[in-house]
Amino acid sequence: MADRKQLEDRLKEMRCNFRFFARPEIRELANVLMPNELVQHCVIGQYQGVRFIGSHRSASTSDR
């Protein structure tokens, strides 16, 4: 598990830390990342399903 504060700081540096979009994904990303793994690229998008509109965050890291 990665440190969530460090992850949020890294996403701010990359200008990919939005307050209202994909916040749950940030929490989950911190749980998925290994301690020394660094986020290198990040995108946020939206999708529309039949009954809802959702958002998602995709990230690439130093290891994946």
Side-chain angles (χ1 to χ4, degrees):
M1 179 188 314
D3 180 28
R4 197 164 109 193
K5 175 68 174 142
Q6 288 178 345
L7 174 60
E8 288 184 3
D9 290 344
R10 175 67 179 142
L11 292 173
K12 284 179 188 176
E13 288 174 14
M14 297 170 49
R15 296 182 181 190
C16 193
N17 190 22
F18 299 101
R19 292 217 173 258
F20 302 110
F21 297 111
R23 293 304 294 176
E25 285 84 352
I26 292 175
R27 288 190 295 272
E28 185 60 28
L29 184 58
N31 291 331
V32 172
L33 292 177
M34 301 303 278
N36 294 327
E37 195 170 11
L38 297 174
V39 174
Q40 294 180 336
H41 301 283
C42 181
V43 294
I44 294 176
Q46 287 186 322
Y47 59 90
Q48 183 171 353
V50 175
R51 298 183 185 150
F52 60 88
I53 296 175
S55 64
H56 69 280
R57 179 183 305 263
S58 295
S60 64
T61 68
S62 57
D63 296 335
R64 295 183 252 176

